Amino acid sequence: MADVNQGSVLPGETSPPALDGLNATDSNGTDAVNATVAKFVATPEGTALAYGSLVFMALLPIFFGALRSVSCGKSKNSSDMPETITGRDAARFPIIASCTLFGLYLFFKIFSQEYINLLLSMYFFVLGILALSHTMSPFMNRIFPANIPIKQYQLLFTQGSGETKEEMVNYEFDTKDMICLVISTVVGVWYILKKHWIANNLFGLAFALNGVELLHLNNISTGCILLGGLFVYDVFWVFGTNVMVTVAKSFEAPIKLVFPQDLLEKGLGASQFAMLGLGDIVIPGNLKKNTRTYFHTSFLAYIFGLGLTIWVMHTFKHAQPALLYLVPACIGFPLVVALLKGELTEMFSQRVSPRIAPTETNIFLVRRGAGRMPYGQRDMV
């Protein structure tokens, strides 16, 4: 899982978490030409704005993803139901994430970084368009003018003929979905051409919201197994090896949220970013509870854990893996509440339903938690 980072400081370095000339990037994510550029030091106002914005953006997909998971849970269409992770899936999850991460490490060591990132950019271009379209669809349903006729479309691919004909793809959509797709494509082209941080965040928020909405844990024990395993994964790959650092420096994809610390000075053309990986949003955000009490507790625990991450990083001038603080908070707070209420046994024996109260909070997105991935050539570790 990507950590909160104020700049480009490698493990073991004692310099402040600011970008030096060797790692600095411009707004398009390209390397700075002059390696002797003075280190960037954010103002207190810029730092507070960047961190506050990251926390706010992180809470949006957790809350609204939970709201939308209600609709998924009530859907009669099985294809719209959230995908459920079992205890076995959760136990294998850190292993799969580790294999993915190490595989990317080997790829970047063997093959050209430029070509790999080109392929990944095109892949995330398509994936981002679909995710953003799905995210925009409910809002489009509310604002679409009633006097404009809505036409229905169907995309159907079959294999074989006669009695052996088999459906491969059967996707139904309408005019509103087409508009969402066009808008999302514009954002995708903007991201591909400019790698602008706003386009990055639009795709990142869409990925995170879909991850919280469509991913479902079958019980609390599964959530604890998942978070515990990824806690070990995160700490090991960050502090035990240079694999995460190498991949983070090389990988370009909109799977993190970023916010400029120099926004007040440079406006939308700002280039010095604080960032948070989507894995630190999607995975804790899926530890859903059946009651408002536990949801509120988990929600506050997430805010506390993320705030603690930022405080430790800012105090010790070293970037931190967010799950190091989020996992104990998101598991510990609800456990204490359950213990005080005498509901500890019931909490672990009860299945977690996607049909949660409205005020409570693809597998691929979470598995991308294997990547502590950068914006441009930035290192987030």
Side-chain angles (χ1 to χ4, degrees), residues 2-311:
D3 54 352
V4 176
N5 187 24
Q6 188 179 8
S8 183
V9 178
L10 302 181
E13 292 182 341
T14 58
S15 58
L19 288 176
D20 57 36
L22 294 175
N23 290 321
T25 59
D26 60 21
S27 59
N28 293 329
T30 57
D31 291 336
V33 175
N34 187 355
T36 61
V37 176
K39 291 182 179 179
F40 167 77
V41 178
T43 63
E45 294 82 3
T47 300
L49 178 61
Y51 288 156
S53 299
L54 282 180
V55 173
F56 177 73
M57 286 192 293
L59 297 177
L60 290 178
I62 294 177
F63 184 80
F64 288 103
L67 288 177
R68 291 175 57 148
S69 70
V70 179
S71 300
C72 287
K74 292 180 178 179
S75 175
K76 296 181 180 180
N77 188 347
S78 60
S79 63
D80 293 333
M81 291 294 291
E83 184 167 356
T84 301
I85 291 182
T86 64
R88 179 177 295 182
D89 295 329
R92 293 184 299 188
F93 206 86
I95 300 174
I96 295 173
S98 296
C99 292
T100 303
L101 176 65
F102 192 67
L104 286 171
Y105 173 79
L106 294 178
F107 266 98
F108 282 116
K109 285 291 185 180
I110 298 173
F111 302 104
S112 170
Q113 174 182 321
E114 179 182 356
Y115 294 117
I116 295 175
N117 278 320
L118 178 61
L119 292 175
L120 290 173
S121 295
M122 296 309 299
Y123 176 76
F124 279 98
F125 169 74
V126 176
L127 193 65
I129 289 175
L130 296 177
L132 189 57
S133 297
H134 181 263
T135 301
M136 293 173 55
S137 182
F139 302 101
M140 185 61 66
N141 290 336
R142 295 182 179 181
I143 66 173
F144 196 80
N147 58 343
I148 298 180
I150 299 177
K151 297 182 179 180
Q152 299 293 326
Y153 304 92
Q154 183 179 26
L155 183 63
L156 179 63
F157 287 97
T158 61
Q159 177 179 286
S161 60
E163 296 181 356
T164 62
K165 181 179 291 187
E166 180 182 0
E167 285 188 2
M168 303 299 292
V169 176
N170 188 356
Y171 182 68
E172 296 181 358
F173 55 99
D174 56 25
T175 305
K176 294 177 289 187
D177 297 322
M178 290 289 290
I179 295 176
C180 292
L181 189 64
V182 170
I183 296 174
S184 300
T185 302
V186 172
V187 175
V189 172
W190 182 23
Y191 174 78
I192 287 292
L193 296 179
K194 298 295 184 181
K195 293 293 193 298
H196 197 277
W197 61 274
I198 295 180
N200 173 91
N201 286 347
L202 290 174
F203 274 172
L205 287 170
F207 287 147
L209 189 146
N210 280 277
V212 175
E213 175 189 356
L214 301 177
L215 193 62
H216 170 58
L217 304 174
N218 62 355
N219 54 49
I220 301 301
S221 298
T222 299
C224 292
I225 295 172
L226 178 63
L227 288 178
L230 288 174
F231 174 88
V232 176
Y233 156 88
D234 211 28
V235 173
F236 172 76
W237 288 110
V238 172
F239 297 119
T241 73
N242 71 334
V243 172
M244 191 76 81
V245 176
T246 302
V247 174
K249 284 182 174 181
S250 307
F251 196 95
E252 294 184 12
I255 55 174
K256 72 277 166 189
L257 300 179
V258 300
F259 199 89
Q261 299 180 82
D262 54 345
L263 180 67
L264 299 178
E265 292 83 8
K266 297 183 179 179
L268 296 180
S271 58
Q272 310 296 339
F273 297 97
M275 58 193 75
L276 177 67
L278 299 189
D280 297 322
I281 302 172
V282 176
I283 292 177
N286 271 284
L287 195 62
K288 301 170 184 175
K289 309 297 190 300
N290 283 340
T291 67
R292 295 185 180 184
T293 300
Y294 288 114
F295 166 72
H296 292 152
T297 302
S298 300
F299 202 69
L300 291 175
Y302 182 84
I303 297 174
F304 172 81
L306 194 55
L308 182 61
T309 306
I310 294 173
W311 180 81

